[in-house]
Amino acid sequence: MSKSKVIHPDRDPAFATGAYSDGVVAGGFLFVSGQAAVDFKTSQFVLGTIEDETHRTLQNIKTIIESAGATMEDVVKCTVHLADIAEFDRYNTVYAQYFPGIKPARTTVQSVLAEGLKVEIDCIVKLPA
């Protein structure tokens, strides 16, 4: 099986986030690594309310998905980590705006997140044929 990587188009080449790709294409799917509220142009995390961080995180995911030739409608599965599960309803209100049609399958858990982040989301996308 061949695979290729997808890089956020705004990523500063000097911005090293770890030993992973923003996304990997394999077997007709795009696997997007956990994304957070980062400004790829400045290589800085942008902390804020759960709403602010959810918007920025999903915008980053949307950009990666579109770079691979897909749309948010092609997302089939998301895994979401919240630093505080008590913020679920506020996060979910923003999240729902990005998936107006058939919602992807989803798992949401409370996790300890690095850098003071409130949310991290990864997803699986079925690429168009």
Side-chain angles (χ1 to χ4, degrees):
M1 170 178 62
S2 66
K3 61 183 181 176
S4 61
K5 68 180 178 176
V6 177
I7 300 171
H8 191 292
D10 294 333
R11 177 181 282 280
D12 178 341
F15 182 31
T17 52
Y20 62 87
S21 300
D22 294 337
V24 173
V25 173
F29 289 89
L30 168 64
F31 299 85
V32 179
S33 293
Q35 298 298 312
V38 66
D39 181 335
F40 279 97
K41 292 178 182 174
T42 64
S43 307
Q44 299 292 317
F45 289 107
V46 183
L47 304 180
T49 66
I50 188 66
E51 293 88 353
D52 294 339
E53 289 193 30
T54 302
H55 272 298
R56 182 174 289 275
T57 299
L58 286 166
Q59 281 298 320
N60 285 339
I61 287 171
K62 183 176 184 239
T63 299
I64 292 166
I65 289 170
E66 289 174 351
S67 294
T71 70
M72 294 295 277
E73 292 179 8
D74 298 311
V75 176
V76 295
K77 172 73 167 83
C78 289
T79 303
V80 180
H81 298 266
L82 298 177
D84 183 355
I85 202 72
E87 294 184 317
F88 178 87
D89 289 341
R90 293 170 51 209
Y91 132 80
N92 199 48
T93 298
V94 175
Y95 176 94
Q97 296 169 18
Y98 286 82
F99 301 104
I102 296 173
K103 310 287 189 253
R106 181 180 73 186
T107 301
T108 305
V109 297
Q110 181 169 307
S111 300
V112 176
L113 300 175
E115 309 293 335
L117 293 165
K118 290 180 172 54
V119 62
E120 182 176 344
I121 303 172
D122 68 67
C123 63
I124 301 170
V125 181
K126 177 67 173 119
L127 296 174

